[in-house]
Amino acid sequence: MSRPSTLRSEPAEPGRRPTDRVAPLTQYVLKLVSRCDLACDHCYVYEHPDQSWRRQPRMMAPATVRAVAERIAEHAAAHRLDGVRVVLHGGEPLLAGAARLDATAATLRRVIEPVARLDLRMQSNGVLLTPATCEVLVAHDVKVGISLDGDRAANDRHRRHANGSSSHRQVLRALSLLRSPAYRTSYAGILCTVDLANDPIRVYEALLAEEPPHVDFLLPHANWDNPPARPDGHTTPYADWLLAVHRRWLADGRPVPIRLLESLLSTASGHGSRSEAVGLSPADLVVVETDGTFEQVDSLKSAFDGAAATGLDVFRHRVDDAAAHPAIAVRQSGLAGLCATCRACPVVRHCGGGLYAHRYRAGNGFDNPSAYCPDLLKLVRVVTAAPVADEPTRPADPLDERVLDDLASGAGTAASAAQLAAVHLAMVRALLVTLSERAAGDPVAADGWRLLVHLDDAHPAAVRAVLAHPFVRRWARRCRDGAAELSYLACVAAAAAVRAGIRADLPVPVRDGVVSLPTLGALAVGCERGVVRLVTDDGDVRLAGRRVTADTGHDGDPAREDGPDGWLPVRYLRVGGDRLLLEDTDPHRECYDLPVEPRLSGAAALRWTRQVERAVRRIDAEAPGYATGVRTLLRAVVPLRAAPAGRSRSAAAGAAFGAVAVMPVPDDATLAVLLVHEVQHLKLGAVRDVCTLFERDGNRTLRVPWREEPRPLAEVLHGAYARLAVADVWRHRPGPAAGGHFRRYRAWTDGALDALLGVDALTTTGERFVRGMRATVDGWS
């Protein structure tokens, strides 16, 4: 659902000199033949939207092969590459015949090998493999991968001749040839496309029987416009299929390398991926068609006609020009090349956003998570044993060091705070994506999801405003963990529809007698539980079948009492150009250890809003550096019930980013300190969402000056970060009492920072952050 602009560009300028400003390409797919002797119905070249193969020559001419080889050698020399990989592909490359294969391989080796080591390979269906062809392959050291989907029943579901006859026996004959001692050195492995109709264990056993040096499983090509089939509403059937293979593979002692699974295991140990389908390793690959045109990875042909085109060719352009093409370069940029949803995902270092082609959706191109996102999430977590309960991204540190240094100073700039807000929004989107497949099986949630996707394209600002609400994230996280109703997704969509001012008619759930619309308020209905139909139109909402209309376009007057129409509007206050919600209707605001106030009367709401307004103005005057974070990050104030002893307390929750809960306080000076204190917790919580500050043994405890009992390290850091800000606020207040408060909070912060730096539990990023806090405190006079 993220919306950064789709990558579009013109081809690079012809003849541009090689430059270090482009990342070099090391892998080349040569479409030696542009036709095939099989008619596989899942083939992305012939059966998907891009039909450009019809305009291609049937075979790559010798002059084109020579031009390709020269371009590769030129690129390898300019970038001093040790080696390159070239894959002969199609169509079906064996249609070229043994003599043409011999000449092609000879040309490639003669031109490239004086410059760089050549790893020469071929991908084939194997039908036409003969001893004569095998002799050529062995003579030129060409490694061959064969496509096979399992036993005969499995393979024949898709891999048939045009007349419908089976190809299975011919493929087994090819594999038998490659297993023979004479040709074994050319046997690279087996490529298998997952089909849910095939039993995963039978497929695994059939492949294992062919003694492959390597096995690779591919997900069938799909995208958001043509989503993968999910029988019976199962949310993760492809993960379940692959995990069945995974269990058996482990039980067998991993008898053969399975590239997808081993790539995930590699990322789990901190290394790169061995597959373009997962991980963040650069996809430094370009395709050359039979006419010599450079194209992006050919699986993009499954998205739309022309998806892989670059406008470049080997006769007029260098490989550097292809490498500089934005759509190719972005796939070498790692984390930065992914959409915001993926960048915030807890398993992004393993998944890498999935196969590029599977991210496509009309309207914003490839700037989306994979259409297999729920499957990849489950597969990664099981294979890598990644933590299930934690939402934050542990392995990735996508925040720039300058942002971290800025935040470590205590206050931080508006730009840094805005980055944290963007992280929050991306994480909400990531959570919604993980819920989307489950929503398909829930009629109420399904309508809500479809409306939300439409609004995200047509009215993105309305969707952003709702998703930025603190308690949408809290609901989504609880829903992911099975602790909240999935149907509430319809309420989220309805709120966005109201904000967009469009007409929508959809079912919404009732909870405790109300329909809740995040950021807007709640509508009281006649039943405690159930589903009602809600109609939105031009900023109004009403219940279908009832003459009850709730106008959401009021001015937010906090003193407004609830009317007889059942509408309970959210009250808000304005401080300058900023708007804060006084949240007393959202059902998911009950996420603190302290009880929240029920719906406030108009008079009570007016008292609250006036005091918050005065507190924010006081922060502006007394601590302008912290006012930036308060104004940028604070979205809602949640009134808490007063403590019996009259003690003023406040709270923030990591799952409710942007909200601060506060008990009634005697004056705005006290409230100002509490708001600064809790916004610090929000800032640090957002940093920890995407940055790993503690090593694996970070569950140790430390003694802190403000508590008698030892506290966990993360709690100590949070406490120090909040108290640093409070000390800074008191540092700028006049009077002897303020000086005493400043010295006490500074001493507490000093003690906590010394304790944190005295244990060997911080990551490099964590130590940098804590030392930045240390420098701030030491810099105070």
Side-chain angles (χ1 to χ4, degrees):
M1 292 172 58
S2 60
R3 295 188 52 83
S5 60
T6 305
L7 286 171
R8 299 181 184 277
S9 70
E10 296 300 321
E13 181 182 352
R16 186 172 55 80
R17 298 296 300 172
T19 170
D20 291 338
R21 287 177 293 177
V22 297
L25 301 180
T26 64
Q27 300 184 72
Y28 303 84
V29 173
L30 270 57
K31 296 287 188 173
L32 188 60
V33 178
S34 187
R35 300 296 186 271
C36 191
D37 50 346
L38 293 183
C40 307
D41 59 12
H42 56 12
C43 179
Y44 58 83
V45 174
Y46 302 108
E47 303 298 329
H48 281 263
D50 190 309
Q51 292 291 296
S52 58
W53 64 272
R54 299 179 184 276
R55 302 185 293 273
Q56 288 291 335
R58 295 179 63 89
M59 200 169 299
M60 185 176 284
T64 305
V65 173
R66 188 164 51 253
V68 174
E70 290 169 352
R71 288 300 191 194
I72 295 172
E74 173 188 60
H75 187 71
H79 292 276
R80 299 180 180 179
L81 300 178
D82 293 329
V84 296
R85 172 176 290 185
V86 176
V87 182
L88 305 179
H89 212 279
E92 173 47 55
L94 289 179
L95 286 171
R100 181 65 68 87
L101 285 173
D102 183 39
T104 298
T107 297
L108 292 169
R109 291 218 175 270
R110 183 177 65 254
V111 176
I112 297 172
E113 288 216 313
V115 177
R117 176 179 46 81
L118 174 60
D119 178 6
L120 189 54
R121 295 177 177 256
M122 183 171 72
Q123 185 62 40
S124 169
N125 61 35
V127 169
L128 296 177
L129 193 67
T130 63
T133 307
C134 287
E135 294 289 345
V136 170
L137 300 177
V138 170
H140 294 287
D141 191 20
V142 181
K143 303 290 191 296
V144 185
I146 300 294
S147 299
L148 177 69
D149 287 350
D151 59 15
R152 175 165 181 159
N155 201 67
D156 285 355
R157 291 189 190 279
H158 304 287
R159 298 187 181 279
R160 291 177 172 270
H161 291 279
N163 63 5
S165 62
S166 171
S167 66
H168 188 252
R169 181 178 56 82
Q170 294 162 298
V171 177
L172 293 191
R173 183 183 62 201
L175 291 168
S176 178
L177 273 173
L178 290 173
R179 284 198 308 274
S180 65
Y183 310 130
R184 180 78 187 188
T185 57
S186 284
Y187 190 8
I190 293 177
L191 185 68
C192 174
T193 300
V194 172
D195 189 320
L196 299 178
N198 295 331
D199 179 82
I201 302 306
R202 289 185 62 182
V203 168
Y204 167 80
E205 291 174 340
L207 301 184
L208 208 62
E210 301 304 319
E211 302 175 18
H214 213 103
V215 170
D216 199 11
F217 287 103
L218 300 183
L219 293 169
H221 287 305
N223 53 53
W224 290 99
D225 289 350
N226 296 287
R230 299 188 182 279
D232 303 322
H234 290 172
T235 58
T236 57
Y238 297 91
D240 296 339
W241 197 98
L242 288 165
L243 288 172
V245 172
H246 177 249
R247 287 190 296 272
R248 174 63 183 274
W249 179 63
L250 292 180
D252 288 348
R254 295 165 61 174
V256 61
I258 296 181
R259 187 165 64 153
L260 176 61
L261 301 180
E262 293 207 331
S263 291
L264 292 177
L265 292 172
S266 178
T267 63
S269 62
H271 298 94
S273 171
R274 301 161 191 170
S275 168
E276 67 171 324
V278 293
L280 292 173
S281 298
D284 56 341
L285 178 148
V286 70
V287 175
V288 183
E289 283 286 355
T290 53
D291 65 352
T293 54
F294 285 117
E295 290 201 341
Q296 302 170 58
V297 60
D298 52 350
S299 58
L300 296 186
K301 295 177 185 291
S302 64
F304 60 90
D305 192 19
T310 66
L312 309 174
D313 64 70
V314 299
F315 302 106
R316 298 176 300 155
H317 304 99
R318 301 172 185 269
V319 174
D320 271 72
D321 299 322
H325 190 283
I328 293 177
V330 72
R331 302 189 63 224
Q332 301 190 64
S333 58
L335 193 68
L338 301 180
C339 70
T341 301
C342 289
R343 291 198 303 272
C345 179
V347 300
V348 66
R349 291 286 181 182
H350 308 294
C351 165
L355 194 70
Y356 191 67
H358 297 168
R359 306 174 201 169
Y360 177 73
R361 177 164 56 196
N364 67 339
F366 299 93
D367 196 49
N368 305 286
S370 169
Y372 288 99
C373 185
D375 295 280
L376 292 173
L377 187 65
K378 182 174 183 178
L379 182 67
V380 166
R381 281 175 164 162
V382 173
V383 173
T384 67
V388 176
D390 289 343
E391 178 185 353
T393 303
R394 297 305 180 197
D397 289 345
L399 291 178
D400 188 273
E401 285 185 346
R402 290 169 295 182
V403 174
L404 288 169
D405 291 345
D406 178 48
L407 293 168
S409 71
T413 62
S416 297
Q419 284 209 28
L420 299 183
V423 166
H424 157 69
L425 184 60
M427 296 190 80
V428 176
R429 290 180 178 275
L431 284 166
L432 291 181
V433 169
T434 65
L435 298 177
S436 62
E437 294 300 332
R438 282 174 51 196
D442 182 305
V444 176
D447 283 355
W449 176 251
R450 284 191 291 268
L451 175 60
L452 198 62
V453 169
H454 164 70
L455 291 171
D456 198 40
D457 285 332
H459 302 278
V463 174
R464 282 197 301 270
V466 176
L467 298 192
H469 187 55
F471 303 110
V472 170
R473 175 172 172 180
R474 200 242 172 178
W475 157 76
R477 186 173 178 178
R478 294 182 71 238
C479 188
R480 180 203 63 187
D481 298 336
E485 304 92 337
L486 182 62
S487 58
Y488 187 72
L489 182 61
C491 296
V492 175
V498 173
R499 286 185 164 275
I502 70 164
R503 178 177 177 79
D505 183 345
L506 74 165
V508 292
V510 179
R511 174 180 172 175
D512 298 330
V514 299
V515 172
S516 177
L517 300 179
T519 73
L520 299 176
L523 187 61
V525 298
C527 56
E528 283 296 304
R529 292 273 176 175
V531 175
V532 296
R533 293 203 72 84
L534 193 73
V535 179
T536 74
D537 192 11
D538 195 23
D540 288 353
V541 294
R542 63 182 174 83
L543 293 178
R546 288 179 55 185
R547 300 179 64 183
V548 175
T549 301
D551 178 12
T552 62
H554 69 86
D555 61 3
D557 179 9
R560 172 178 169 171
E561 296 287 353
D562 300 334
D565 57 8
W567 179 240
L568 312 176
V570 164
R571 282 75 168 250
Y572 60 85
L573 57 127
R574 291 189 181 275
V575 183
D578 301 311
R579 189 173 96 160
L580 298 180
L581 299 182
L582 185 67
E583 184 59 85
D584 61 353
T585 63
D586 196 290
H588 299 284
R589 74 189 189 282
E590 298 177 358
C591 58
Y592 307 100
D593 294 334
L594 305 166
V596 300
E597 281 278 18
R599 177 67 170 173
L600 299 173
S601 67
L606 183 60
R607 288 194 298 272
W608 269 98
T609 55
R610 285 178 175 173
Q611 190 174 62
V612 173
E613 287 171 350
R614 291 195 299 269
V616 174
R617 291 193 188 101
R618 182 178 280 271
I619 297 169
D620 288 339
E622 297 179 343
Y626 294 94
T628 297
V630 170
R631 289 181 176 277
T632 304
L633 301 180
L634 189 59
R635 293 285 182 269
V637 174
V638 179
L640 295 173
R641 291 183 181 178
R647 180 186 175 191
S648 299
R649 296 184 63 187
S650 57
F657 179 82
V660 168
V662 190
M663 288 182 178
V665 295
D667 53 58
D668 55 274
T670 302
L671 181 57
V673 171
L674 293 177
L675 291 179
V676 169
H677 180 277
E678 298 304 339
V679 169
Q680 289 296 98
H681 284 303
L682 295 179
K683 287 194 286 188
L684 183 55
V687 169
R688 294 186 62 224
D689 277 346
V690 290
C691 295
T692 306
L693 303 183
F694 294 101
E695 300 288 1
R696 293 182 182 272
D697 61 348
N699 57 354
R700 286 187 280 175
T701 60
L702 284 175
R703 290 195 175 277
V704 292
W706 59 84
R707 287 285 182 92
E708 292 184 1
E709 67 278 8
R711 312 305 300 168
L713 296 184
E715 188 175 319
V716 173
L717 179 57
H718 268 274
Y721 194 59
R723 283 162 177 81
L724 180 152
V726 172
D728 211 0
V729 172
W730 283 115
R731 187 168 72 98
H732 288 88
R733 282 187 176 176
H741 289 309
F742 163 64
R743 286 188 291 274
R744 182 170 70 255
Y745 277 93
R746 174 175 177 162
W748 284 350
T749 307
D750 270 333
L753 294 178
D754 288 344
L756 286 167
L757 292 171
V759 295
D760 186 21
L762 293 166
T763 63
T764 302
T765 301
E767 183 169 352
R768 183 187 184 103
F769 192 82
V770 174
R771 290 196 180 280
M773 295 169 61
R774 173 82 275 165
T776 297
V777 175
D778 290 346
W780 290 339
S781 59

PDB file of all heavy atoms in Angstrom, residues 529-545:
ATOM      1  N   ARG A 529     -23.302  -6.036  20.094  1.00  0.00           N
ATOM      2  CA  ARG A 529     -22.375  -6.718  19.189  1.00  0.00           C
ATOM      3  C   ARG A 529     -23.071  -6.984  17.869  1.00  0.00           C
ATOM      4  O   ARG A 529     -24.302  -6.961  17.783  1.00  0.00           O
ATOM      5  CB  ARG A 529     -21.904  -8.048  19.788  1.00  0.00           C
ATOM      6  CG  ARG A 529     -21.020  -7.906  21.013  1.00  0.00           C
ATOM      7  CD  ARG A 529     -19.567  -7.754  20.617  1.00  0.00           C
ATOM      8  NE  ARG A 529     -18.685  -7.520  21.752  1.00  0.00           N
ATOM      9  CZ  ARG A 529     -17.371  -7.458  21.655  1.00  0.00           C
ATOM     10  NH1 ARG A 529     -16.784  -7.629  20.497  1.00  0.00           N
ATOM     11  NH2 ARG A 529     -16.619  -7.204  22.722  1.00  0.00           N
ATOM     12  N   GLY A 530     -22.274  -7.265  16.839  1.00  0.00           N
ATOM     13  CA  GLY A 530     -22.851  -7.630  15.553  1.00  0.00           C
ATOM     14  C   GLY A 530     -22.236  -6.837  14.429  1.00  0.00           C
ATOM     15  O   GLY A 530     -21.142  -6.272  14.550  1.00  0.00           O
ATOM     16  N   VAL A 531     -22.962  -6.777  13.323  1.00  0.00           N
ATOM     17  CA  VAL A 531     -22.503  -6.071  12.130  1.00  0.00           C
ATOM     18  C   VAL A 531     -23.650  -5.211  11.612  1.00  0.00           C
ATOM     19  O   VAL A 531     -24.791  -5.663  11.545  1.00  0.00           O
ATOM     20  CB  VAL A 531     -22.050  -7.061  11.030  1.00  0.00           C
ATOM     21  CG1 VAL A 531     -21.685  -6.312   9.754  1.00  0.00           C
ATOM     22  CG2 VAL A 531     -20.856  -7.877  11.506  1.00  0.00           C
ATOM     23  N   VAL A 532     -23.359  -3.957  11.276  1.00  0.00           N
ATOM     24  CA  VAL A 532     -24.348  -3.067  10.678  1.00  0.00           C
ATOM     25  C   VAL A 532     -23.761  -2.495   9.404  1.00  0.00           C
ATOM     26  O   VAL A 532     -22.544  -2.541   9.189  1.00  0.00           O
ATOM     27  CB  VAL A 532     -24.733  -1.922  11.641  1.00  0.00           C
ATOM     28  CG1 VAL A 532     -25.422  -2.469  12.889  1.00  0.00           C
ATOM     29  CG2 VAL A 532     -23.511  -1.097  12.021  1.00  0.00           C
ATOM     30  N   ARG A 533     -24.612  -1.957   8.553  1.00  0.00           N
ATOM     31  CA  ARG A 533     -24.136  -1.330   7.319  1.00  0.00           C
ATOM     32  C   ARG A 533     -23.994   0.159   7.547  1.00  0.00           C
ATOM     33  O   ARG A 533     -24.886   0.824   8.068  1.00  0.00           O
ATOM     34  CB  ARG A 533     -25.075  -1.613   6.152  1.00  0.00           C
ATOM     35  CG  ARG A 533     -25.114  -3.067   5.731  1.00  0.00           C
ATOM     36  CD  ARG A 533     -25.584  -3.208   4.299  1.00  0.00           C
ATOM     37  NE  ARG A 533     -24.595  -2.770   3.343  1.00  0.00           N
ATOM     38  CZ  ARG A 533     -23.578  -3.521   2.888  1.00  0.00           C
ATOM     39  NH1 ARG A 533     -23.418  -4.754   3.347  1.00  0.00           N
ATOM     40  NH2 ARG A 533     -22.726  -3.034   2.012  1.00  0.00           N
ATOM     41  N   LEU A 534     -22.849   0.672   7.143  1.00  0.00           N
ATOM     42  CA  LEU A 534     -22.543   2.082   7.317  1.00  0.00           C
ATOM     43  C   LEU A 534     -22.410   2.722   5.939  1.00  0.00           C
ATOM     44  O   LEU A 534     -21.787   2.146   5.041  1.00  0.00           O
ATOM     45  CB  LEU A 534     -21.228   2.244   8.086  1.00  0.00           C
ATOM     46  CG  LEU A 534     -20.912   3.626   8.626  1.00  0.00           C
ATOM     47  CD1 LEU A 534     -21.817   3.939   9.817  1.00  0.00           C
ATOM     48  CD2 LEU A 534     -19.454   3.707   9.067  1.00  0.00           C
ATOM     49  N   VAL A 535     -23.004   3.886   5.784  1.00  0.00           N
ATOM     50  CA  VAL A 535     -22.928   4.613   4.521  1.00  0.00           C
ATOM     51  C   VAL A 535     -22.181   5.916   4.770  1.00  0.00           C
ATOM     52  O   VAL A 535     -22.499   6.655   5.709  1.00  0.00           O
ATOM     53  CB  VAL A 535     -24.324   4.917   3.961  1.00  0.00           C
ATOM     54  CG1 VAL A 535     -24.214   5.706   2.649  1.00  0.00           C
ATOM     55  CG2 VAL A 535     -25.100   3.627   3.722  1.00  0.00           C
ATOM     56  N   THR A 536     -21.160   6.174   3.971  1.00  0.00           N
ATOM     57  CA  THR A 536     -20.440   7.448   4.048  1.00  0.00           C
ATOM     58  C   THR A 536     -20.734   8.231   2.775  1.00  0.00           C
ATOM     59  O   THR A 536     -20.851   7.651   1.688  1.00  0.00           O
ATOM     60  CB  THR A 536     -18.923   7.240   4.178  1.00  0.00           C
ATOM     61  OG1 THR A 536     -18.390   6.827   2.918  1.00  0.00           O
ATOM     62  CG2 THR A 536     -18.610   6.193   5.220  1.00  0.00           C
ATOM     63  N   ASP A 537     -20.842   9.545   2.913  1.00  0.00           N
ATOM     64  CA  ASP A 537     -21.134  10.365   1.741  1.00  0.00           C
ATOM     65  C   ASP A 537     -20.770  11.808   2.039  1.00  0.00           C
ATOM     66  O   ASP A 537     -21.348  12.422   2.945  1.00  0.00           O
ATOM     67  CB  ASP A 537     -22.612  10.265   1.363  1.00  0.00           C
ATOM     68  CG  ASP A 537     -22.898  10.859  -0.019  1.00  0.00           C
ATOM     69  OD1 ASP A 537     -21.925  11.153  -0.744  1.00  0.00           O
ATOM     70  OD2 ASP A 537     -24.080  11.021  -0.367  1.00  0.00           O
ATOM     71  N   ASP A 538     -19.790  12.338   1.328  1.00  0.00           N
ATOM     72  CA  ASP A 538     -19.413  13.744   1.432  1.00  0.00           C
ATOM     73  C   ASP A 538     -19.113  14.158   2.871  1.00  0.00           C
ATOM     74  O   ASP A 538     -19.558  15.198   3.351  1.00  0.00           O
ATOM     75  CB  ASP A 538     -20.513  14.622   0.852  1.00  0.00           C
ATOM     76  CG  ASP A 538     -20.003  16.054   0.592  1.00  0.00           C
ATOM     77  OD1 ASP A 538     -18.771  16.216   0.447  1.00  0.00           O
ATOM     78  OD2 ASP A 538     -20.826  16.979   0.571  1.00  0.00           O
ATOM     79  N   GLY A 539     -18.366  13.310   3.600  1.00  0.00           N
ATOM     80  CA  GLY A 539     -17.963  13.638   4.953  1.00  0.00           C
ATOM     81  C   GLY A 539     -18.967  13.278   6.021  1.00  0.00           C
ATOM     82  O   GLY A 539     -18.718  13.496   7.210  1.00  0.00           O
ATOM     83  N   ASP A 540     -20.134  12.728   5.660  1.00  0.00           N
ATOM     84  CA  ASP A 540     -21.131  12.300   6.632  1.00  0.00           C
ATOM     85  C   ASP A 540     -21.105  10.786   6.754  1.00  0.00           C
ATOM     86  O   ASP A 540     -20.679  10.072   5.842  1.00  0.00           O
ATOM     87  CB  ASP A 540     -22.541  12.720   6.210  1.00  0.00           C
ATOM     88  CG  ASP A 540     -22.745  14.219   6.361  1.00  0.00           C
ATOM     89  OD1 ASP A 540     -21.852  14.869   6.900  1.00  0.00           O
ATOM     90  OD2 ASP A 540     -23.798  14.712   5.922  1.00  0.00           O
ATOM     91  N   VAL A 541     -21.598  10.294   7.884  1.00  0.00           N
ATOM     92  CA  VAL A 541     -21.810   8.856   8.048  1.00  0.00           C
ATOM     93  C   VAL A 541     -23.223   8.637   8.574  1.00  0.00           C
ATOM     94  O   VAL A 541     -23.756   9.441   9.333  1.00  0.00           O
ATOM     95  CB  VAL A 541     -20.794   8.225   9.027  1.00  0.00           C
ATOM     96  CG1 VAL A 541     -19.398   8.298   8.463  1.00  0.00           C
ATOM     97  CG2 VAL A 541     -20.845   8.874  10.386  1.00  0.00           C
ATOM     98  N   ARG A 542     -23.830   7.542   8.148  1.00  0.00           N
ATOM     99  CA  ARG A 542     -25.144   7.176   8.672  1.00  0.00           C
ATOM    100  C   ARG A 542     -25.290   5.672   8.611  1.00  0.00           C
ATOM    101  O   ARG A 542     -24.584   4.978   7.869  1.00  0.00           O
ATOM    102  CB  ARG A 542     -26.258   7.859   7.877  1.00  0.00           C
ATOM    103  CG  ARG A 542     -26.324   7.461   6.400  1.00  0.00           C
ATOM    104  CD  ARG A 542     -27.409   8.221   5.678  1.00  0.00           C
ATOM    105  NE  ARG A 542     -27.400   7.975   4.254  1.00  0.00           N
ATOM    106  CZ  ARG A 542     -27.987   6.916   3.667  1.00  0.00           C
ATOM    107  NH1 ARG A 542     -28.616   6.023   4.413  1.00  0.00           N
ATOM    108  NH2 ARG A 542     -27.923   6.757   2.360  1.00  0.00           N
ATOM    109  N   LEU A 543     -26.210   5.178   9.401  1.00  0.00           N
ATOM    110  CA  LEU A 543     -26.504   3.753   9.393  1.00  0.00           C
ATOM    111  C   LEU A 543     -27.568   3.468   8.344  1.00  0.00           C
ATOM    112  O   LEU A 543     -28.601   4.154   8.300  1.00  0.00           O
ATOM    113  CB  LEU A 543     -27.007   3.296  10.755  1.00  0.00           C
ATOM    114  CG  LEU A 543     -25.994   3.339  11.897  1.00  0.00           C
ATOM    115  CD1 LEU A 543     -26.657   2.905  13.190  1.00  0.00           C
ATOM    116  CD2 LEU A 543     -24.818   2.440  11.589  1.00  0.00           C
ATOM    117  N   ALA A 544     -27.311   2.477   7.518  1.00  0.00           N
ATOM    118  CA  ALA A 544     -28.302   2.093   6.518  1.00  0.00           C
ATOM    119  C   ALA A 544     -29.568   1.612   7.212  1.00  0.00           C
ATOM    120  O   ALA A 544     -29.527   0.863   8.186  1.00  0.00           O
ATOM    121  CB  ALA A 544     -27.735   0.990   5.621  1.00  0.00           C
ATOM    122  N   GLY A 545     -30.704   2.069   6.712  1.00  0.00           N
ATOM    123  CA  GLY A 545     -31.972   1.637   7.296  1.00  0.00           C
ATOM    124  C   GLY A 545     -32.415   2.482   8.465  1.00  0.00           C
ATOM    125  O   GLY A 545     -33.494   2.270   9.019  1.00  0.00           O
TER     126      GLY A 545
END
